[in-house]
């Protein structure tokens, strides 16, 4: 944590501000003023500096980096025009022109400059400032009396403009007015950069009238030098209660926006710090402290002016480069030899390892080929139980259509094909049937219809071909999560546990009734067919054996399947239902021990 001290003085007194740097932020510790007793006649500069040193000692602020603000009236400023040259040649060119235009500039006199931003590429606009050598001598004498060494010597208006520009949003053109007793600094800012600075005399008690005149002159001079740019506002530096009615008087006289800028609002100070009177006169000191804390170089600094970089003897540089190149070449050669030897050893080891891994690579290649074949087979497989379920869901009701035969075939390249043959009540039912069976994965094509006069109820014969596309991988992964019509399904290995069945249509996901075996006893059928006492279907008994309306259970009460033209036609107890229309039941599940359908399943019907 470093300490900073900013000071300025004139014929009437001195002002001091101290602070410390925390990180890159300034924390103001104290700010006060010191009056010279007796004025210029009764107080020599040496005695004034001694009093300043005593004041610093009393407040414990003697140590720290010294920053000095110099009044505008003690320096000479001019705007110079130079041809465009490289930055390292600009200091000599500026001094050459300043020697011809400045009144009191010597060969070694302090001179600093800043390049102004402009739209002209053919020449540079340079704001140059010079300081009499006696002013710098006074700065060193004051610092010596306080046992310090000055680090910066900056013009006061530029330090105030820096504080103002960093605290507020810079506009195109604006005017900054700083009151300093019987003087006022009027600074023109364009894009946040000070381009024109004037020091004018005012009356301390009534500053409004001379200020209006000088502000108008400054605006005219700025427009003459930097183009016809309108001034957007005038900003007075100071606290509102100290300025009184001056902002309103200037607003009425200039017919412009007039604002007030309190410099202490732009910094952070200690809670124990006491704010001084005439706060506007401390803007330059606070600007110096804040720029130094943040590491920003001042716009003009007479203790550190811009100079051309001293030329370096090229022969020494070339010799140093040559020696460095030789050393680097030798080191590079040694490193290359070491690297090559290391790589040779590593290559030999890797070749031996590669020979050992060739056999494993061949085995892995064969395994990868097998995995591809398995993946291809899995992706092309079709779940025929799901297809039968969808057919039973989408086919028309039994009174409109009857499936006589259904053939399910797998395609080697993936997917499958279903051939349906059956009878319908009228030809329009065929179109409705095709529309219901067709979706994104299933393409349906028919061979038309044919009238069979032997049939009374369903006389129109049809033949449909359904091509099923193979399922995608995501559908396979989540197939096990399909809970469609399976809320009542339990893992039962045979049908012997099925009881109290109100309708055979509750049997779901069963592709063939011939899978019911092992003496399963179906009892308590609630649709009127009382199957008991010998209704055991065992040892491969197949529902397809039920035909011509005979009872399908060798039962004692002789109840038949009513109006059913096929053994599967009565799986839901209704008249004329096709063998696939009753495969949607959800009360029977767990067909784990059933063989998957891989061959053609054909259902033949007989006339009732």
């Amino acid at each position: 944590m470093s300490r900073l001290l900013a000071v300025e003085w004139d014929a009437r007194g001195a002002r001091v501000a101290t602070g410390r740097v925390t990180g890159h932020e300034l924390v103001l510790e104290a700010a006060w003023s010191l009056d010279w007793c007796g004025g210029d006649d009764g107080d020599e500069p040496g005695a004034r500096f001694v009093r300043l040193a005593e004041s610093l000692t009393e407040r414990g602020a003697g140590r720290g980096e010294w920053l000095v603000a110099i009044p505008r009236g003690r320096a000479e400023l001019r705007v110079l025009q130079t041809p465009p040259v490289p930055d390292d040649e600009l200091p000599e060119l500026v001094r050459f022109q300043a020697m011809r235009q400045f009144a009191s500039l010597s060969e070694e006199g302090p001179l600093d400059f800043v390049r102004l931003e402009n739209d002209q590429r053919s020449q540079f606009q340079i704001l140059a400032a010079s300081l009499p050598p006696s002013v710098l001598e006074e700065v060193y004498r004051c610092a010596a009396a306080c046992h310090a060494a000055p680090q910066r010597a900056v013009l006061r208006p530029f330090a105030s403009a820096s504080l103002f520009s960093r605290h507020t949003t810079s506009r195109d053109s604006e005017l900054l007015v700083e009151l300093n007793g019987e003087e006022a600094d009027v600074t023109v800012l364009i894009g946040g950069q000070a381009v024109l600075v004037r020091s004018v005399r005012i009356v301390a008690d009534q500053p409004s009238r001379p200020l209006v005149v000088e502000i108008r002159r400054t605006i005219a001079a700025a427009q003459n030098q930097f183009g016809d740019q309108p001034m957007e506002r005038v900003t007075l530096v100071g606290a509102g209660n100290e300025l009184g009615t001056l902002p309103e008087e200037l607003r009425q006289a200039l017919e412009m926006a007039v604002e007030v800028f309190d410099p202490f609002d732009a910094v952070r100070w200690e809670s124990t710090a006491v704010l001084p009177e005439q706060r506007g006169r401390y803007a330059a000191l606070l600007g110096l402290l804040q720029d130094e804390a943040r590491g920003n170089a001042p716009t003009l600094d007479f203790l550190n002016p811009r100079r051309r970089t001293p030329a370096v003897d090229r022969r020494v540089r070339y010799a140093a480069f040559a020696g460095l190149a030789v050393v680097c070449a030798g080191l590079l050669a040694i490193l290359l030899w070491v690297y090559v030897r290391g790589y040779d050893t590593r290559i030999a080891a890797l070749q031996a390892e590669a020979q050992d891994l060739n056999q494993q690579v061949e085995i892995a290649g064969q395994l990868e080929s097998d995995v591809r074949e398995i993946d291809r087979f899995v992706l092309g497989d079709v779940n025929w139980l799901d297809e039968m379920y969808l057919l039973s869901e989408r086919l028309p009701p039994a009174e409109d259509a009857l499936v006589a035969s259904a053939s399910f075939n797998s395609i080697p390249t993936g997917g499958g094909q279903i051939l349906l043959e059956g009878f319908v009540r009228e030809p329009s039912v065929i179109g409705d049937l095709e529309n219901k069976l067709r979706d994104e994965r299933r393409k349906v094509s028919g061979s038309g219809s044919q009238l069979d006069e032997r049939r009374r109820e369903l006389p129109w014969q049809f033949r449909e071909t359904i091509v099923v596309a193979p399922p995608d991988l995501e559908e396979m992964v989540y197939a096990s999560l399909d809970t469609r019509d399976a809320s009542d399904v339990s893992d039962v290995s045979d049908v012997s546990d099925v009881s109290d069945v109100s309708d055979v249509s509750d049997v779901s996901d069963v592709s063939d009734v011939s899978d019911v075996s092992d003496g399963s006893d179906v009892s308590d059928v609630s649709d009127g067919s009382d199957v008991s006492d010998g209704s055991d279907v065992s040892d491969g008994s197949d529902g397809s054996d039920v035909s011509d309306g005979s009872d399908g259970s060798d039962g004692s009460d002789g109840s038949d399947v009513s109006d059913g033209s096929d053994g599967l036609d009565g799986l839901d107890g209704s008249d004329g239902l096709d063998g696939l229309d009753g495969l949607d039941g959800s009360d029977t599940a767990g067909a784990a021990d059933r063989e998957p359908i891989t061959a053609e399943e054909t259902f033949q019907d007989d006339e009732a």
Side-chain angles (χ1 to χ4, degrees):
M1 181 179 66
S2 59
R3 297 179 64 87
L4 303 176
L5 185 145
V7 59
E8 69 159 331
W9 62 86
D10 53 20
R12 290 176 175 77
R15 283 155 296 281
V16 184
T18 62
R20 69 176 187 273
V21 179
T22 303
H24 290 286
E25 293 295 330
L26 170 69
V27 179
L28 185 65
E29 294 179 336
W32 72 92
S33 63
L34 180 65
D35 294 332
W36 310 132
C37 294
D40 294 336
D41 298 332
D43 235 350
E44 293 296 329
R48 298 174 182 174
F49 299 152
V50 171
R51 293 186 55 198
L52 177 61
E54 293 174 353
S55 177
L56 294 176
T57 304
E58 292 176 0
R59 295 177 178 264
R63 297 182 179 273
E65 298 183 18
W66 258 55
L67 313 173
V68 181
I70 299 175
R72 162 67 180 87
R74 308 191 71 177
E76 183 178 2
L77 279 80
R78 292 186 183 276
V79 177
L80 307 179
Q81 306 288 337
T82 65
V85 295
D87 292 341
D88 58 343
E89 299 179 6
L90 197 57
E92 291 185 357
L93 182 59
V94 170
R95 178 169 287 277
F96 176 76
Q97 290 198 10
M99 291 290 297
R100 301 169 54 187
Q101 298 187 26
F102 280 71
S104 60
L105 179 62
S106 60
E107 283 287 342
E108 300 298 330
L111 174 70
D112 200 7
F113 66 91
V114 61
R115 178 183 168 187
L116 303 179
E117 298 293 336
N118 63 340
D119 298 332
Q120 300 179 6
R121 298 184 179 180
S122 60
Q123 60 182 0
F124 289 165
Q125 279 188 329
I126 306 297
L127 178 61
S130 69
L131 201 65
S134 60
V135 177
L136 277 186
E137 293 177 0
E138 187 177 340
V139 170
Y140 283 112
R141 287 170 55 195
C142 179
C146 298
H147 307 285
Q151 304 295 324
R152 305 280 188 188
V154 181
L155 283 180
R156 183 172 60 194
F158 287 91
S160 301
S162 175
L163 179 69
F164 173 74
S165 299
R166 297 183 189 280
H167 180 67
T168 60
T169 303
S170 299
R171 306 181 187 181
D172 292 339
S173 300
E174 51 194 342
L175 210 63
L176 188 66
V177 179
E178 187 177 1
L179 304 179
N180 298 297
E182 296 181 355
E183 292 183 354
D185 293 334
V186 183
T187 306
V188 177
L189 300 176
I190 298 180
Q193 185 182 30
V195 298
L196 179 62
V197 180
R198 297 181 67 235
S199 181
V200 299
R201 302 287 296 182
I202 60 173
V203 179
D205 297 335
Q206 296 180 350
S208 60
R209 181 174 300 178
L211 269 180
V212 170
V213 176
E214 295 300 334
I215 288 174
R216 288 175 177 170
R217 289 179 180 176
T218 304
I219 294 175
Q223 292 177 348
N224 183 38
Q225 293 186 21
F226 305 102
D228 191 10
Q229 295 187 4
M231 292 293 168
E232 294 186 358
R233 62 176 177 177
V234 175
T235 301
L236 293 175
V237 181
N241 57 349
E242 297 173 359
L243 297 175
T245 61
L246 181 59
E248 184 63 27
E249 294 175 2
L250 293 181
R251 188 179 296 110
Q252 295 178 358
L254 297 173
E255 296 181 352
M256 295 175 59
V258 178
E259 299 180 1
V260 176
F261 170 64
D262 189 347
F264 284 85
D265 291 340
V267 296
R268 190 175 58 151
W269 63 81
E270 288 277 7
S271 59
T272 57
V274 179
L275 299 183
E277 298 179 355
Q278 298 182 348
R279 284 186 261 171
R281 304 193 66 177
Y282 292 84
L285 302 182
L286 299 183
L288 278 174
L289 295 176
Q290 191 172 80
D291 285 346
E292 193 69 19
R294 296 182 178 180
N296 300 320
T299 303
L300 296 175
D301 185 2
F302 294 106
L303 295 181
N304 305 280
R306 292 169 176 84
R307 295 187 178 92
R308 183 172 183 174
T309 304
V312 180
D313 190 353
R314 296 182 180 274
R315 293 176 297 179
V316 177
R317 179 183 298 177
Y318 292 156
F321 285 161
L324 182 61
V326 172
V327 173
C328 291
L331 292 176
L332 182 60
I334 296 174
L335 290 175
L336 287 177
W337 181 82
V338 173
Y339 285 154
V340 169
R341 292 287 299 174
Y343 281 126
D344 290 341
T345 305
R346 187 177 179 184
I347 288 173
L350 291 176
Q351 287 177 347
E353 185 179 356
Q355 292 178 359
D356 297 337
L357 294 177
N358 284 336
Q359 184 177 2
Q360 299 182 22
V361 171
E362 294 178 359
I363 296 175
Q366 183 62 36
L367 179 60
E368 183 179 2
S369 177
D370 295 342
V371 170
R372 287 199 189 99
E373 293 297 330
I374 294 174
D375 290 342
R376 186 180 298 110
F377 173 78
V378 172
L379 288 175
D381 192 16
V382 177
N383 191 331
W384 292 114
L385 292 178
D386 288 346
E387 297 302 322
M388 295 179 67
Y389 172 81
L390 291 176
L391 286 176
S392 65
E393 285 286 323
R394 298 181 180 181
L395 285 175
E399 60 268 15
D400 293 337
L402 168 68
V403 175
S405 65
S407 174
F408 302 83
N409 301 307
S410 296
I411 300 176
T413 58
Q417 178 176 307
I418 304 174
L419 300 178
L420 294 180
E421 292 184 4
F423 301 91
V424 295
R425 180 173 47 81
E426 57 185 15
S428 61
V429 178
I430 299 176
D432 181 58
L433 180 145
E434 291 178 350
N435 292 333
K436 289 183 177 180
L437 295 179
R438 186 180 292 113
D439 56 20
E440 295 180 355
R441 283 189 54 203
R442 296 163 184 83
K443 296 182 180 180
V444 182
S445 60
S447 59
S449 61
Q450 184 177 359
L451 179 62
D452 189 352
E453 297 180 352
R454 295 175 301 170
R455 302 181 61 88
R456 294 188 303 274
E457 295 184 1
L458 303 172
W460 292 91
Q461 185 178 10
F462 69 91
R463 180 182 178 85
E464 299 292 335
T465 301
I466 306 172
V467 179
V468 182
D472 56 11
L473 185 58
E474 182 178 359
E475 181 179 350
M476 294 173 57
V477 171
Y478 291 99
S480 62
L481 301 180
D482 186 7
T483 59
R484 178 183 51 208
D485 295 332
S487 59
D488 296 329
V489 177
S490 59
D491 191 4
V492 183
S493 60
D494 63 278
V495 193
S496 61
D497 295 333
V498 179
S499 63
D500 196 12
V501 181
S502 62
D503 198 317
V504 187
S505 61
D506 292 336
V507 181
S508 63
D509 295 334
V510 180
S511 60
D512 195 350
V513 183
S514 63
D515 292 330
V516 181
S517 61
D518 300 332
S520 57
D521 187 17
V522 180
S523 62
D524 196 10
V525 180
S526 64
D527 61 351
S529 59
D530 188 7
V531 181
S532 62
D533 297 331
S535 60
D536 299 337
V537 182
S538 62
D539 296 331
S541 61
D542 197 323
S544 61
D545 294 336
V546 182
S547 61
D548 297 330
S550 61
D551 56 322
S553 63
D554 197 17
S556 60
D557 59 356
S559 58
D560 346 359
V561 180
S562 61
D563 296 329
S565 62
D566 196 332
L568 296 180
D569 196 28
L571 291 182
D572 59 355
S574 60
D575 293 343
L577 292 180
D578 58 87
L580 299 177
D581 196 29
L583 297 181
D584 57 287
S586 61
D587 289 338
T588 303
D593 55 344
R594 294 176 177 77
E595 298 179 358
I597 296 178
T598 58
E600 175 178 336
E601 297 290 344
T602 306
F603 307 97
Q604 300 295 340
D605 71 295
D606 294 328
E607 294 183 359

